[in-house]
Amino acid sequence: MTTVTETPIAVPVVAHRPWWRGKIVQSGAIVAGMWIAYRGWGGDHPWPNGLVWNQLTFKLDDFQAWLIEKRLTGGGGLVFSIFDGFRIMCDHLVAWFFDALTWLTWLGTAVAGTLLAWRFGGLRAGGWALGAFAAFAVTGLWLESTETLALMLTAVGLSLVIGVPLGIAAGRSRRFGRWLTPFLDAAQIVPAFAYLMPVVLFFSIGYAAAVVATMIYAIPPCIRITALGIRRVPVNTVEAAASMGATRRQMLGKVQLPLSRRMLLLGLNQTILFALSMVVIAGLIGGGGLGAVVNSGLFSNPALAILAGAVIVVMAMALDRITESVAERTDPARRHLDAPAKRRLRLQSLGVAGVITATVVVAKLLGVSGDFPDYSGVRQRAVTAQEWLLGQIQTVLDYVQDPTSFVFQITEPVGNFILTELLLPLQGFLVEAPWFTTLGGLTLLALVVSGLRPAVTTLLMLGLIGFLGVWALAMDTLSQVLVATLIAVLIGIGLGVWAAESRTVSRALRPVNDVLQTLPQLVYIIPFIYLMPVSIVPGIVAGVLYAFPVVSRLVERGIKDVAPDAVEAAGAFGATRRQVLVKVKVPLAGDAIMLGVNQGIIMVLAVVVIGGLVGSGGLGYEVAQGLVRGQFGQGVIASVAILALGITLDRVTQGSRSKRKESME
Amino acid sequence: MSAPAATSTTAASRERDGEPLIRATGVWKIFGPKAATIIGTPDAELPRTELRAKTGCVAAVRDVSFEVWPGEVFVVMGLSGSGKSTLVRTLIRLIEPTAGTISIAGDEVTGASPAALRDLRRHKVSMVFQHFGLLAHRRVLDNVAFGLEIQGVGKAERHARAREILGLVGLEDVESSFPDQLSGGMQQRVGVARAFAGDPVVMLYDEPFSALDPLIRRDMQDEVIRLQAETGKTMVFITHDLPEALRLGDRIAIMRDGAIVQIGTPEDLVGSPADEYVENFTRDVPRSHVLTLRWIMREPEPGEPVDGPRLDVGTTVRNAVPVIAESSRPVCATSGDEVVGIVDRDAVLRAIAGEGG
Ligand SMILES: Nc1ncnc2c1ncn2[C@@H]1O[C@H](COP(=O)(O)OP(=O)(O)OP(=O)(O)O)[C@@H](O)[C@H]1O
Ligand SMILES: [Mg+2]
């Protein structure tokens, strides 16, 4: 007999189900399992020696020795001579720029820089240039600044020589652009610290290595923005020119380049900023200049390191503002010059050239030196404020390091909290838990959070790390990255949400974010070495500072982009502003938040490994040792492990995003 | 409504002298992977959405053939997405046709070498775009002279020519302005001037006035009509605006889902639409403005006196109304001296009443 059952009313499946829901429980279970294993067998199962390729370090060291021998004896074939030729060319270029700038004398250089910035960027740009030169002079770091400028000119120039044509090609040919994109993406996740060792291997320590490391970092954004600029030229215009029978060359020269000029100049701006953010790291491998001052001062003369860091910041900000205003001012599509205006500009150019020449001639005749003098010739009176500045900085340093000071009362507990409540437990957990539960657990987590491919990547990369023999170090670094990312994301979300809700906050945050993003990575760390003297914490705090602006910006944009309809609908139901925020906006902005996590985690990794330089241990320390002590094999292995870690973190955080995208289609 | 069975009596087949200027035969454009392999297979016959679902390809233009005669204004009309822009771009291979042949002014376009194609674009054909496509970084004068500059014409000469053209379209005063300083209507005038500057044989317009206000649009249409009358250029004009098509077009092609449904004079389309689609299109057209006496006349009955007022068969119904209203006798429609039909009051009223659809 059949019973008539009521057909159940089909419950409409919620089409838009965020991928991350329901994952929390599973993830929690996995972590709990790992935790139990840690409590039960913590420390009993380090990565087994049998699974390590012990010989690698020696093999790499041998390889280096072989290379050095070849370099000395001159053998080694074509590839080798190309590397060597490039090395010599870089060395010469930097030296030539340096000589040229000193030949102009400090006065000539300052006048030329200021007037050129004024001519092409306007009054404000001129002001920034003047301010920067003043900072070089006042700090008594003129020569170091000049050397850094010479390094920048070379690195940026070569980056443009390579990046702009590639960018143009990628912008004009879809196929080439698509082919190039994965390389650019990959370059972006490699922490700069990880490729120092290989660069040193092929170019040995010196200007060339510094230039190459800088170029590797600066070329990808150059290509990207150039391509973007070309692609942004309105299709209509390109089509119209094609319909009139323009050749490819005419199209480029008469249409695409002029119309993308502003973007190309912004590309220059980004290239410079990326290059500048490598200055300090480049100082580690022979870049000299301000970077070298920072590095050598880190332990021996902290006040000087901070001063040099400040000069780098001034230089970065000045170059940023100058190139930005040049880009804005010379956009031919917006700036319409009539004939008198053109004539006026031509006169200005002539005037600028005249004044510069005159200044240089007079300065040469008067015997003005290339370096800004520390003491005046007359009564041995100091003309730079270096000593005074150093004294001031030292006072502040003494204050923040004085256990009875007010600041210390704050920084000390904060630092200790991060260390004892977050870092050490996580570190212990990751490092000491049985290697197989950690490896398996992390792979499972990747599977649950992001899917199969990221999980496979995780397994392979972590396996590689273990195989290289740096499991414990990598887990140490990972714990630092996770803690810093957590803090950065929390701060970023908080500020992002706040800024999205309040115009005032948004406006107040923007300059802070701008400044934080302009700073070279290592510069972040410097103050915190002294502010939070616990060795691991400065790297963490610096990572947080480096990453949270990006997170907060993405979150802010994500929330602002949430469809007004949804917000309005919720409002119509009588939801309070708070409910709208928590129930509608934040969930809908989930994508932006995940993107923030993805970008933030990579940025954090880049900075955290640099922390190895100041004693935060982990993989970064190995690289630092490799660089400083010449322990090459060890450094390369750590570099590879950093890269493996970067790939894992990127794929896991990004995989979830692309999965989400798929499910939306 | 009574309509002639054949359109052979209409202007569409008016005596043509010589060869057509543009001849497109079996043109296809399919966007997507392996587009070329689809043509000739049964897949090609699938409706667009099904083809897309099955192969991921979009058939933007499907087997289109037409001819345009010298001095003619040929309008292509259709809804958004029907493939008009794609079609007109294939004519000069701004979009590469997937199949079919095109020739313009005796030159084979499909299969032309890059140099020959450039030559065609430089000297024979020019195009006016919906979104103007002006060079934002150049003055109006240099925009108009751009085509000549590309051809390598010297500065003095091309500026002189550009000034001449600017005078023709009434833009003398703004020659040193930049495009973004002009209104939309003015910008499109520059676009038209630029297209004229190379003195092409054929002008292609892709919805040139869609982005403009209705009043300005009318002005621009008048301008095109005037220029056409003055220069006698052949035009292919894309629009989705029926009044515009009726105003400008000597012949109109109606496109739907990439294929041409009907080609004919305005009267053909209004009087004898090929299918429901075309009929829906033309439903709201005031018939009396388009239809001529030819469409509403009847054969004279044997022995019927032909003593009413005489009007040419090409007179539109609207213009015939006053005459018919005055006269007590039916109007005689004439072709030359011969009376070819009778139009009585009834027929006129029916034609006007039929307007509502
Ligand atoms: N580059 C392309 N790739 C893929 N599909 C395209 C491409 N260009 C056009 N299409 C498709 O071809 C079809 C015809 O497009 P087309 O632009 O020719 O239409 P249209 O009649 O000009 O419409 P509108 O009035 O909106 O301008 C559309 O379905 C469009 O989506
Ligand atoms: Mg179109």
Side-chain angles (χ1 to χ4, degrees):
Chain A
M1 181 186 150
T2 55
T3 52
V4 181
T5 53
E6 263 194 34
T7 39
I9 301 163
V11 179
V13 181
V14 181
H16 184 83
R17 186 159 185 264
W19 54 267
W20 35 269
R21 270 218 204 119
K23 309 258 154 119
I24 293 170
V25 180
Q26 296 172 33
S27 310
I30 296 170
V31 173
M34 291 163 71
W35 181 256
I36 291 167
Y38 166 58
R39 300 304 296 183
W41 301 277
D44 294 346
H45 299 279
W47 188 276
N49 268 329
L51 287 180
V52 173
W53 187 13
N54 292 319
Q55 296 304 308
L56 186 59
T57 318
F58 306 116
K59 289 231 154 73
L60 284 167
D61 282 338
D62 288 350
F63 176 60
Q64 187 201 20
W66 178 81
L67 270 180
I68 290 173
E69 189 200 311
K70 282 283 184 253
R71 191 175 293 138
L72 291 178
T73 56
L78 183 66
V79 176
F80 203 87
S81 9
I82 290 175
F83 274 117
D84 229 34
F86 190 74
R87 179 174 66 86
I88 293 165
M89 184 189 78
C90 286
D91 285 348
H92 276 107
L93 269 176
V94 179
W96 186 85
F97 277 124
F98 184 69
D99 290 347
L101 288 177
T102 42
W103 182 85
L104 286 174
T105 74
W106 67 265
L107 188 62
T109 306
V111 169
T114 306
L115 286 182
L116 286 174
W118 168 72
R119 162 66 184 81
F120 293 104
L123 215 53
R124 266 171 52 107
W128 272 103
L130 192 63
F133 284 117
F136 303 164
V138 167
T139 54
L141 292 170
W142 185 275
L143 220 48
E144 290 81 357
S145 305
T146 310
E147 194 178 3
T148 293
L149 276 180
L151 190 73
M152 283 300 106
L153 282 170
T154 309
V156 170
L158 290 175
S159 298
L160 295 177
V161 166
I162 296 176
V164 169
L166 283 177
I168 289 175
R172 303 186 86 196
S173 152
R174 251 166 207 285
R175 192 183 308 169
F176 182 61
R178 232 172 324 187
W179 180 83
L180 204 60
T181 307
F183 293 97
L184 299 181
D185 289 345
Q188 210 153 21
I189 63 167
V190 184
F193 216 52
Y195 51 70
L196 293 186
M197 292 304 308
V199 167
V200 169
L201 170 64
F202 288 105
F203 297 96
S204 81
I205 291 213
Y207 283 146
V211 167
V212 171
T214 309
M215 284 169 66
I216 296 176
Y217 197 61
I219 286 177
C222 177
I223 296 179
R224 252 181 226 280
I225 297 176
T226 307
L228 190 66
I230 297 285
R231 249 178 259 136
R232 283 249 185 105
V233 173
V235 203
N236 305 307
T237 312
V238 172
E239 197 173 38
S243 83
M244 283 183 274
T247 60
R248 279 184 67 79
R249 207 180 159 151
Q250 287 172 326
M251 185 71 83
L252 184 66
K254 291 178 191 284
V255 180
Q256 290 173 314
L257 286 183
L259 283 177
S260 58
R261 180 142 128 198
R262 183 168 155 272
M263 280 295 274
L264 296 184
L265 284 168
L266 287 181
L268 169 69
N269 168 280
Q270 286 300 301
T271 311
I272 291 178
L273 287 186
F274 270 73
L276 254 175
S277 71
M278 283 291 288
V279 160
V280 184
I281 298 182
L284 286 173
I285 54 174
L290 295 169
V293 178
V294 172
N295 289 314
S296 65
L298 270 184
F299 299 104
S300 57
N301 190 350
L304 186 61
I306 290 180
L307 191 61
V311 175
I312 295 177
V313 172
V314 172
M315 189 189 281
M317 289 178 62
L319 282 170
D320 178 39
R321 302 300 135 87
I322 292 169
T323 45
E324 197 181 313
S325 47
V326 172
E328 297 301 340
R329 265 177 55 114
T330 55
D331 182 4
R334 264 187 243 163
R335 186 181 190 223
H336 304 318
L337 295 175
D338 46 9
K342 272 191 185 151
R343 205 168 317 125
R344 208 164 51 236
L345 280 182
R346 214 167 299 141
L347 277 179
Q348 272 184 13
S349 301
L350 276 177
V352 164
V355 173
I356 292 175
T357 318
T359 312
V360 172
V361 169
V362 171
K364 290 304 267 189
L365 287 179
L366 290 178
V368 175
S369 70
D371 186 8
F372 187 81
D374 288 347
Y375 293 93
S376 70
V378 193
R379 258 176 275 154
Q380 288 303 300
R381 291 252 307 264
V383 286
T384 70
Q386 190 185 49
E387 272 165 34
W388 182 81
L389 285 169
L390 290 179
Q392 296 300 312
I393 296 171
Q394 196 58 51
T395 317
V396 175
L397 283 179
D398 290 344
Y399 172 74
V400 299
Q401 288 177 299
D402 175 2
T404 61
S405 75
F406 175 67
V407 174
F408 198 83
Q409 303 297 324
I410 298 173
T411 53
E412 155 94 310
V414 171
N416 276 338
F417 173 81
I418 294 177
L419 188 71
T420 56
E421 300 301 320
L422 296 172
L423 261 177
L424 291 181
L426 186 63
Q427 192 187 43
F429 171 50
L430 284 174
V431 173
E432 286 174 20
W435 67 273
F436 42 86
T437 56
T438 308
L439 181 61
L442 292 178
T443 306
L444 275 180
L445 271 180
L447 181 69
V448 167
V449 175
S450 310
L452 187 60
R453 283 180 58 148
V456 173
T457 310
T458 305
L459 185 64
L460 288 178
M461 289 298 144
L462 293 182
L464 173 69
I465 288 171
F467 183 63
L468 292 173
V470 287
W471 177 260
L473 293 169
M475 288 303 118
D476 183 358
T477 298
L478 179 61
S479 69
Q480 298 178 29
V481 170
L482 291 180
V483 168
T485 308
L486 177 75
I487 302 175
V489 167
L490 286 181
I491 296 179
I493 291 179
L495 286 179
V497 170
W498 197 15
E501 292 290 290
S502 152
R503 254 166 184 281
T504 329
V505 175
S506 172
R507 215 169 302 149
L509 270 183
R510 200 167 307 148
V512 179
N513 285 353
D514 279 349
V515 170
L516 284 176
Q517 287 199 295
T518 331
L519 302 191
Q521 295 165 1
L522 189 57
V523 168
Y524 286 96
I525 299 185
I526 306 169
F528 291 96
I529 301 173
Y530 310 104
L531 209 50
M532 297 194 167
V534 195
S535 57
I536 312 183
V537 178
I540 306 269
V541 178
V544 170
L545 281 183
Y546 188 53
F548 91 77
V550 171
V551 180
S552 98
R553 206 170 272 188
L554 285 168
V555 170
E556 181 184 346
R557 185 148 27 109
I559 290 184
K560 278 187 177 161
D561 284 352
V562 165
D565 305 3
V567 175
E568 207 171 26
F573 283 115
T576 63
R577 185 169 163 174
R578 201 193 141 95
Q579 284 170 326
V580 170
L581 183 65
V582 175
K583 303 228 152 115
V584 181
K585 288 188 181 173
V586 172
L588 284 179
D591 253 357
I593 295 173
M594 268 323 284
L595 184 63
V597 172
N598 175 243
Q599 302 218 333
I601 209 165
I602 295 302
M603 296 173 76
V604 163
L605 174 68
V607 175
V608 160
V609 291
I610 297 178
L613 216 49
V614 293
S616 66
L619 295 168
Y621 180 72
E622 298 288 296
V623 176
Q625 287 299 300
L627 287 171
V628 178
R629 301 263 153 75
Q631 287 160 354
F632 178 76
Q634 182 192 335
V636 169
I637 288 175
S639 300
V640 173
I642 291 172
L643 182 55
L645 204 55
I647 293 174
T648 311
L649 292 174
D650 179 60
R651 285 302 112 98
V652 172
T653 49
Q654 190 188 43
S656 46
R657 232 184 339 125
S658 39
K659 203 166 133 187
R660 169 76 185 284
K661 247 188 240 149
E662 275 162 31
S663 73
M664 279 176 67
E665 276 179 6
Chain B
M1 157 184 296
S2 63
T7 56
S8 59
T9 48
T10 69
S13 63
R14 164 177 70 194
E15 288 289 290
R16 303 285 186 190
D17 34 336
E19 285 283 294
L21 196 59
I22 304 175
R23 174 177 274 150
T25 324
V27 174
W28 283 84
K29 177 63 201 184
I30 300 183
F31 290 107
K34 299 202 182 135
T37 60
I38 292 173
I39 294 164
T41 67
D43 281 356
E45 307 300 322
L46 289 175
R48 247 202 210 154
T49 41
E50 284 176 37
L51 178 70
R52 173 143 198 202
K54 190 169 168 192
T55 62
C57 292
V58 180
V61 173
R62 307 157 65 124
D63 197 16
V64 164
S65 304
F66 62 89
E67 288 166 349
V68 181
W69 300 82
E72 190 179 29
V73 177
F74 184 80
V75 172
V76 180
M77 230 193 87
L79 297 179
S80 186
S82 56
K84 310 177 296 288
S85 298
T86 309
L87 175 64
V88 76
R89 279 169 176 72
T90 57
L91 294 182
I92 50 174
R93 282 171 57 193
L94 284 175
I95 293 178
E96 205 64 50
T98 316
T101 54
I102 291 158
S103 67
I104 295 182
D107 295 337
E108 184 81 6
V109 179
T110 36
S113 68
L117 185 62
R118 257 199 319 272
D119 214 53
L120 178 94
R121 291 175 180 176
R122 286 179 179 186
H123 301 295
K124 297 215 170 117
V125 187
S126 64
M127 186 157 167
V128 179
F129 296 86
Q130 179 175 5
H131 300 291
F132 321 142
L134 300 178
L135 297 167
H137 62 295
R138 288 168 169 242
R139 296 179 300 159
V140 164
L141 187 68
D142 286 313
N143 261 291
V144 174
F146 186 67
L148 298 169
E149 179 180 340
I150 276 177
Q151 295 167 26
V153 176
K155 193 166 184 175
E157 192 184 336
R158 65 177 191 251
H159 278 177
R161 169 82 183 137
R163 286 208 173 85
E164 193 183 310
I165 301 285
L166 282 174
L168 201 62
V169 296
L171 284 177
E172 307 90 331
D173 298 339
V174 298
E175 64 164 56
S176 13
S177 303
F178 284 82
D180 61 355
Q181 297 168 330
L182 303 180
S183 68
M186 301 265 262
Q187 289 190 39
Q188 194 57 298
R189 266 172 211 267
V190 177
V192 172
R194 176 176 69 179
F196 262 95
D199 198 18
V201 190
V202 177
M203 308 246 321
L204 309 175
Y205 290 84
D206 183 17
E207 300 200 26
F209 310 140
S210 302
L212 306 180
D213 295 335
L215 279 179
I216 299 173
R217 194 183 305 171
R218 244 193 120 77
D219 273 359
M220 296 296 290
Q221 289 163 2
D222 290 340
E223 189 82 29
V224 166
I225 291 172
R226 183 174 68 82
L227 288 170
Q228 156 76 6
E230 282 173 20
T231 60
K233 296 210 183 303
T234 308
M235 301 193 184
V236 176
F237 196 102
I238 310 290
T239 180
H240 62 234
D241 183 36
L242 186 65
E244 185 168 85
L246 295 175
R247 279 197 83 193
L248 297 174
D250 291 326
R251 282 188 307 143
I252 300 173
I254 306 258
M255 280 188 87
R256 177 192 191 178
D257 280 354
I260 289 187
V261 191
Q262 184 174 13
I263 301 183
T265 60
E267 323 177 41
D268 288 338
L269 301 180
V270 174
S272 63
D275 62 9
E276 217 167 292
Y277 182 74
V278 180
E279 199 177 337
N280 277 337
F281 240 114
T282 55
R283 178 174 294 159
D284 294 331
V285 177
R287 293 165 177 260
S288 58
H289 294 202
V290 178
L291 292 187
T292 56
L293 297 184
R294 180 180 291 124
W295 295 83
I296 58 171
M297 68 193 184
R298 58 175 167 77
E299 295 282 313
E301 274 157 28
E304 188 179 0
V306 283
D307 53 352
R310 296 186 163 213
L311 284 173
D312 188 82
V313 294
T315 315
T316 56
V317 173
R318 177 163 69 154
N319 293 339
V321 166
V323 180
I324 292 181
E326 297 268 295
S327 157
S328 53
R329 309 267 330 131
V331 167
C332 303
T334 58
S335 171
D337 285 339
E338 193 190 338
V339 173
V340 291
I342 302 293
V343 180
D344 37 37
R345 218 175 269 233
D346 231 26
V348 171
L349 286 177
R350 254 186 286 120
I352 297 174
E355 279 174 20

